[in-house]
Amino acid sequence: MIVTLIIICEVGFWVLLAGGLALRYGAKMPRASIAVLLCEPILEVILFVVTAVDLKNGAEPDWKHGLAAVYIGYSIALGHYTIKWADVRVAHRFAGGPPPVKLYGMARAIDEWKIAARWVLAALIAMALLQGAAWYVGDDGDIDSLRMWQEKMLWLIGINVIIAATYTVFPHKAPPVDGPRRGAGLRHERLRRVSATSHDAPAEDAPAEEVQASRRGS
């Protein structure tokens, strides 16, 4: 039951996201798009309630309840970020919006720390929910699976901190400008200057063949 509901919530998240973006950029209905996207938190509330009821009815806590807590933590901490990430790319692809910004150097490191902070928040929320479930079950119940998920969340925090630190210590450098493209730009500028210069007084730095070609064109 819990696993099925988690799958339904995950699929529902992406269906609502796709529907909201389609309404915004396809049907040009931004208000309806916002209404659809605001339905996203309802999925987490349903999953949380069903999980709590399942435990209340005497179900032994296991990996399914831990996975539900992790999913809720992710949705709360990174749900909005995921929507924004998709929105920028859909707007660029279908609505003529600006392309996603590629960051390098310290700007990329700062962005990685922000992403890591979101993952840390997701892990802390999951750990809090798992701890609440452990207290609810009590010492007489089997809470080993809940403790296992809490340990996994500690690993998740550590991994994200290490990734962000790596981008800080070893900054991601911007790729060098392509050589042929620089040459093409220089040639275009020379041709522009030749065409803007009098045929009787060609630009001194323009190649001879370009000047002759320009004069033949006249």
Side-chain angles (χ1 to χ4, degrees), residues 191 193-203 210-218:
L191 289 173
R193 293 173 60 184
V194 168
S195 62
T197 306
S198 170
H199 296 307
D200 296 332
E210 293 178 358
V211 176
Q212 293 175 3
S214 176
R215 289 176 175 176
R216 286 198 299 270
S218 63

Side-chain angles (χ1 to χ4, degrees), residues 88-138:
V88 171
R89 283 151 181 80
V90 172
H92 171 61
R93 179 66 177 83
F94 298 103
V101 178
K102 295 183 178 180
L103 302 176
Y104 302 97
M106 188 53 61
R108 175 64 182 273
I110 294 174
D111 187 65
E112 290 294 332
W113 279 110
K114 291 180 179 179
I115 296 175
R118 294 186 179 96
W119 277 107
V120 170
L121 177 60
L124 292 177
I125 292 173
M127 292 176 67
L129 292 174
L130 292 165
Q131 185 61 43
W135 286 337
Y136 182 80
V137 173

Side-chain angles (χ1 to χ4, degrees), residues 6-214:
I6 292 174
I7 296 174
I8 292 174
C9 288
E10 178 65 17
V11 174
F13 176 88
W14 292 104
V15 169
L16 289 175
L17 177 57
L21 295 178
L23 287 172
R24 176 176 299 180
Y25 298 110
K28 306 299 182 182
M29 301 171 62
R31 292 185 178 180
S33 171
I34 294 174
V36 170
L37 294 176
L38 287 177
C39 293
E40 298 278 8
I42 298 177
L43 299 175
E44 285 70 57
V45 173
I46 294 174
L47 181 59
F48 177 78
V49 171
V50 172
T51 303
V53 170
D54 190 49
L55 290 173
K56 184 178 180 180
N57 290 336
E60 287 292 332
D62 55 18
W63 65 272
K64 299 187 293 295
H65 301 93
L67 182 61
V70 173
Y71 177 81
I72 293 172
Y74 170 85
S75 300
I76 294 175
L78 288 122
H80 178 72
Y81 172 81
T82 303
I83 294 173
K84 185 178 179 181
W85 179 89
D87 181 65
V88 171
R89 283 151 181 80
V90 172
H92 171 61
R93 179 66 177 83
F94 298 103
V101 178
K102 295 183 178 180
L103 302 176
Y104 302 97
M106 188 53 61
R108 175 64 182 273
I110 294 174
D111 187 65
E112 290 294 332
W113 279 110
K114 291 180 179 179
I115 296 175
R118 294 186 179 96
W119 277 107
V120 170
L121 177 60
L124 292 177
I125 292 173
M127 292 176 67
L129 292 174
L130 292 165
Q131 185 61 43
W135 286 337
Y136 182 80
V137 173
D139 297 333
D140 296 334
D142 184 7
I143 59 174
D144 291 341
S145 62
L146 301 180
R147 297 303 184 198
M148 178 195 68
W149 276 106
Q150 287 181 323
E151 293 177 1
K152 290 181 181 296
M153 293 302 96
L154 291 176
W155 278 100
L156 181 64
I157 291 174
I159 290 172
N160 279 276
V161 170
I162 291 174
I163 292 174
T166 300
Y167 277 95
T168 304
V169 178
F170 306 102
H172 189 61
K173 297 181 180 179
V177 180
D178 192 12
R181 292 181 63 183
R182 288 202 306 268
L186 179 59
R187 182 178 181 82
H188 175 75
E189 175 63 20
R190 286 178 172 176
L191 289 173
R192 186 191 66 78
R193 293 173 60 184
V194 168
S195 62
T197 306
S198 170
H199 296 307
D200 296 332
E204 295 181 358
D205 61 343
E209 60 272 16
E210 293 178 358
V211 176
Q212 293 175 3
S214 176

